[in-house]
Amino acid sequence: ICFENSMQNIVHNSDVSSESGDSTECVAEEASLILDEMAHRLQLSTVRFFVFTLSKAFKRLFRSVCVNEEGIQRLQQAVQEHPVVLLPSHRSYMDFLMMSYLLYMYDLPLPVIAAGMDFMSMKFVGEMLRMSGAFFIRRSFGGDKLYWAVFSEYVKTMLRNGYAPIEFFLEGTRSRTCKSLTPKTGLLNIVMEPFFKGELFDVNLVPVSISYERILEESLYARELLGIPKPKESTSGLLKARRVLSEDYGSMYVYFGHPVSVRSLTEGKITRSQYNLLPRCIPQKPSADTHEFLNDAAFRLVRIQEENMVLKPWVLIATLLLQNPDGMDLSSLAEQTDWLRHLALAFGAYLDWPDHEACSEVISCSLALHRHLLSVSAGHVQLSVTDAPQVESTPEEAVFHQAVVVLSCASYRNQILHVFLRPALLAVAMQSANSNRKDDVYNCFNFLRNMFSNEFILCPGDSVQDFEEACYLLMKRGVLQVLEHEIVMSASGHSTLAFLSSVLDPFLQGYQVVSRYLCEETNENLTEKEFIPAVRNFALKLILAGRLKCYEALSSDLQKNALAAFLRLKAVRKVKVGDQVTLKVNKIAVNSLEDTLGKSDVTSHQNSWCSSMAMFEIAI
């Protein structure tokens, strides 16, 4: 009944009828069809069937599913006080299934979940998801005002009624790299609007961090990043995927964060009186101040997700193996992993390291779980294509298979990047600045932070705070001395700074490849659609010629982020020509950015880190 009243307000107050010339009745009928396509039809009998099925599947897939029960207790309290919005991280299709499963098992209200229309093409499964609480939204609906009005009112009605938590992914889609994606603010604005308009006293936002010891879609993601189209969701595809049930995916971790009150979040930042100037039923676009607040809030919520991620030893091992492409002896790997463990813990990592187990045993278990990415022979470990076709392949195919392994491994290293990111930016800035002056180092730090703002979660306007955090962490570790006007590396800090610089090497090299392509290979009529395949082919030629060893430069995600950075920094601009968007390159500006990136001397980091660690081992 509540939603029917809301629908009437939508039809009468939206300007769709006047713009299209259709009658109010026609608009109402179209709105009703949109609602039928969108709405969930939660049925407890279907939920019970799903829970039974998922329970069997999860027991086959995972050794354990670990949940912080104090987080569950906080959630139980939160749902009794105010409407709740669940904001899980998104790394796998398993995420939303596990969320509903856990809430059912802990006797909490089942969430209604924003799902993409892709799932509707799956026979039977799509409708079962709808009856388990999924409501379906189109991936994009551009300027369709009626669709937006119906969708917005549907979500707000569910929130106002408060009978179930609403769940959606701030990142909008699964991260193929396992780095957090730049958050989207559309749905966040919708769930906050009832508070802005005074319809709700408060709304609780609950960030949820979901991490995997081994990701089900690992190889699929790597292939997507290399240009292989994502398989269309289908029931037949789901049935064929049953073979994953015979694999071991280790442990899964779900961490429910502290509820974030929208009332406290907006205090002193949003003037709600602006929402009283129009009737509540009329949709309002967020003002510039509101949009800035939403963007800032979204970034901070994703940072909370990152900080609460539970990490396994494999993320440390993967980081070291990527920095040592020729492989490592097991003894060296054990020593360096133990060193890296202490560094990560000092920087605040949430690391699940088995108690009372020797480091060599922990590493052995991790290598066994991820043996499909490795070759271990005579005490030497190396990333290797163990499942590549045995038939003779072309050089291009060999590069592709090796790139799949590297990108798969990188997806685990990426899970811990947020721990090292700010100190790593400072380490590279110190090398780029070629100066001990604090101002010079900060300027380089700020440049790198701006360049990589599409690559990592860096809260807008927090450059000074990030710089100070990096300085504090490295001072606490005894790596630096930060004086009033200078930053000085301590005698024992070289190995740490060399390692941190190496963490950013793939991104620095990838951005340099993109800048070289834009200066050397691009033509006047390069379209936006042609950009990614063209850069990938350019990087492939460099690898085949032996001029580039960084397989991560082939990643479409890195290439898109690099283009976004060059667009933001005015080195490239988009020009619409007919139906196509053409890229116009300012080669002088691109060259200038490449020169600044090149000052970090990325090719020397690897050798510097390896030699530093060799000295470290001798000292031990």
Side-chain angles (χ1 to χ4, degrees):
I1 294 173
C2 291
F3 190 72
E4 286 177 2
N5 293 334
S6 299
M7 286 283 285
Q8 291 174 11
N9 288 327
I10 289 172
V11 173
H12 288 295
N13 290 295
S14 70
D15 49 7
V16 174
S17 180
S18 58
E19 287 184 1
S20 64
D22 295 333
S23 66
T24 303
E25 291 75 15
C26 288
V27 174
E29 186 177 346
E30 187 179 347
S32 181
L33 292 173
I34 292 171
L35 178 60
D36 286 342
E37 174 191 79
M38 180 186 302
H40 75 80
R41 289 192 286 272
L42 187 62
Q43 292 183 10
L44 197 55
S45 58
T46 305
V47 170
R48 286 173 177 153
F49 172 77
F50 249 127
V51 167
F52 174 79
T53 306
L54 290 174
S55 180
K56 300 290 184 184
F58 291 154
K59 286 177 182 177
R60 294 282 298 275
L61 290 169
F62 303 112
R63 298 175 187 175
S64 62
V65 177
C66 305
V67 183
N68 65 322
E69 294 203 337
E70 73 277 8
I72 290 290
Q73 292 167 5
R74 291 193 296 261
L75 181 57
Q76 288 170 335
Q77 181 65 32
V79 296
Q80 294 173 23
E81 295 172 349
H82 304 291
V84 164
V85 177
L86 297 167
L87 302 171
S89 57
H90 202 13
R91 303 290 180 272
S92 170
Y93 278 134
M94 287 288 110
D95 297 334
F96 72 91
L97 297 173
M98 182 56 75
M99 285 290 293
S100 295
Y101 177 79
L102 288 176
L103 266 61
Y104 179 90
M105 297 302 290
Y106 280 102
D107 199 25
L108 282 159
L110 290 173
V112 289
I113 309 156
M117 288 297 295
D118 307 345
F119 293 102
M120 282 301 297
S121 62
M122 300 175 70
K123 291 181 180 179
F124 307 115
V125 175
E127 279 306 310
M128 287 188 70
L129 289 172
R130 189 193 294 276
M131 290 187 286
S132 299
F135 63 95
F136 297 94
I137 57 176
R138 299 172 190 171
R139 288 293 181 189
S140 62
F141 33 89
D144 191 335
K145 291 184 178 180
L146 182 61
Y147 188 92
W148 176 256
V150 172
F151 167 62
S152 175
E153 194 59 38
Y154 179 68
V155 173
K156 287 185 285 188
T157 300
M158 290 190 293
L159 191 70
R160 286 190 295 258
N161 288 347
Y163 70 91
I166 292 175
E167 179 186 326
F168 66 90
F169 301 105
L170 267 173
E171 298 164 279
T173 186
R174 288 174 298 157
S175 171
R176 271 66 176 172
T177 61
C178 288
K179 288 192 289 93
S180 295
L181 304 178
T182 302
K184 309 293 190 296
T185 59
L187 252 173
L188 190 63
N189 176 54
I190 288 173
V191 298
M192 285 190 179
E193 193 172 304
F195 169 76
F196 294 155
K197 291 184 174 182
E199 297 171 289
L200 292 171
F201 181 80
D202 203 356
V203 176
N204 282 322
L205 308 175
V206 180
V208 184
S209 306
I210 305 176
S211 51
Y212 300 84
E213 192 170 6
R214 183 182 167 196
I215 303 161
L216 272 76
E217 301 96 330
E218 170 192 284
S219 177
L220 179 68
Y221 287 167
R223 285 172 164 78
E224 284 186 51
L225 293 171
L226 293 170
I228 306 299
K230 182 187 80 167
K232 188 178 179 181
E233 286 83 357
S234 66
T235 304
S236 60
L238 179 64
L239 294 173
K240 289 176 185 176
R242 286 177 299 172
R243 64 179 179 272
V244 302
L245 295 173
S246 62
E247 295 280 334
D248 180 5
Y249 289 90
S251 298
M252 178 180 179
Y253 297 84
V254 184
Y255 188 99
F256 289 86
H258 288 269
V260 177
S261 160
V262 172
R263 174 171 284 272
S264 61
L265 199 63
T266 58
E267 190 172 355
K269 297 178 182 177
I270 294 293
T271 304
R272 292 199 290 164
S273 59
Q274 61 182 300
Y275 287 88
N276 297 330
L277 301 177
L278 288 173
R280 287 175 174 173
C281 58
I282 296 180
Q284 295 183 46
K285 287 186 178 179
S287 64
D289 289 344
T290 302
H291 183 76
E292 184 179 345
F293 162 76
L294 289 166
N295 196 46
D296 182 69
F299 270 87
R300 296 191 187 284
L301 288 163
V302 175
R303 271 214 74 183
I304 293 172
Q305 289 177 347
E306 287 185 332
E307 289 165 359
N308 290 336
M309 284 286 178
V310 180
L311 305 171
K312 292 294 286 185
W314 171 246
V315 302
L316 304 176
I317 299 167
T319 301
L320 292 170
L321 290 175
L322 285 167
Q323 292 188 7
N324 294 271
D326 294 328
M328 305 176 71
D329 292 335
L330 278 170
S331 58
S332 175
L333 180 61
E335 289 172 355
Q336 293 188 29
T337 300
D338 196 47
W339 176 86
L340 189 53
R341 170 170 71 109
H342 288 95
L343 182 67
L345 290 172
F347 286 175
Y350 199 165
L351 194 62
D352 180 33
W353 188 278
D355 294 330
H356 313 301
E357 278 192 39
C359 187
S360 57
E361 286 298 317
V362 174
I363 289 173
S364 179
C365 290
S366 293
L367 295 180
L369 183 65
H370 298 276
R371 59 187 176 275
H372 56 291
L373 298 175
L374 307 162
S375 65
V376 182
S377 176
H380 190 79
V381 186
Q382 185 173 3
L383 290 180
S384 176
V385 190
T386 56
D387 60 348
Q390 297 302 310
V391 296
E392 190 173 333
S393 60
T394 65
E396 290 81 0
E397 289 172 335
V399 169
F400 176 85
H401 290 302
Q402 188 62 35
V404 168
V405 172
V406 170
L407 291 176
S408 297
C409 194
S411 68
Y412 295 99
R413 178 217 51 211
N414 290 344
Q415 294 179 36
I416 200 171
L417 277 180
H418 67 277
V419 174
F420 299 127
L421 175 60
R422 287 152 188 82
L425 289 171
L426 179 56
V428 176
M430 289 177 66
Q431 186 164 343
S432 299
N434 198 25
S435 165
N436 288 340
R437 282 178 48 82
K438 195 173 182 179
D439 288 347
D440 293 339
V441 175
Y442 173 75
N443 288 336
C444 287
F445 178 92
N446 198 33
F447 166 79
L448 290 166
R449 188 184 182 280
N450 191 16
M451 176 65 76
F452 290 131
S453 61
N454 292 91
E455 199 72 56
F456 309 110
I457 298 299
L458 295 158
C459 296
D462 275 9
S463 183
V464 173
Q465 294 93 315
D466 287 343
F467 181 73
E468 290 175 349
E469 179 185 332
C471 290
Y472 169 76
L473 290 172
L474 291 174
M475 282 176 61
K476 185 177 74 169
R477 188 67 179 169
V479 175
L480 300 178
Q481 290 180 315
V482 180
L483 309 176
E484 185 177 358
H485 298 295
E486 285 188 325
I487 297 178
V488 182
M489 182 177 70
S490 67
S492 60
H494 183 72
S495 60
T496 302
L497 290 178
F499 163 76
L500 291 170
S501 296
S502 295
V503 167
L504 290 182
D505 271 0
F507 304 97
L508 288 162
Q509 291 191 51
Y511 278 48
Q512 285 181 311
V513 168
V514 172
S515 63
R516 286 173 198 157
Y517 169 77
L518 290 171
C519 289
E520 298 173 13
E521 299 287 326
T522 186
N523 58 63
E524 287 293 321
N525 299 314
L526 177 69
T527 65
E528 192 174 16
K529 288 184 178 179
E530 294 169 339
F531 173 78
I532 297 296
V535 174
R536 186 184 295 116
N537 287 335
F538 179 70
L540 178 61
K541 289 178 185 176
L542 292 177
I543 291 172
L544 291 171
R547 295 169 57 195
L548 177 68
K549 294 183 178 180
C550 179
Y551 288 91
E552 291 183 61
L554 296 167
S555 166
S556 59
D557 183 79
L558 185 147
Q559 293 156 3
K560 288 174 186 175
N561 290 334
L563 177 60
F566 288 126
L567 287 165
R568 191 180 61 257
L569 296 172
K570 312 296 185 188
V572 179
R573 60 190 177 91
K574 292 181 181 180
V575 177
K576 191 163 185 179
V577 180
D579 295 334
Q580 294 184 323
V581 177
T582 303
L583 300 176
K584 300 299 179 183
V585 181
N586 181 339
K587 294 190 177 183
I588 295 175
V590 172
N591 269 320
S592 176
L593 292 173
E594 184 187 354
D595 289 344
T596 308
L597 286 171
K599 287 179 183 176
S600 59
D601 193 18
V602 296
T603 56
S604 70
H605 289 156
Q606 184 66 46
N607 294 332
S608 177
W609 157 238
C610 292
S611 60
S612 298
M613 288 310 299
M615 291 188 289
F616 173 74
E617 290 164 25
I618 293 169
I620 287 177

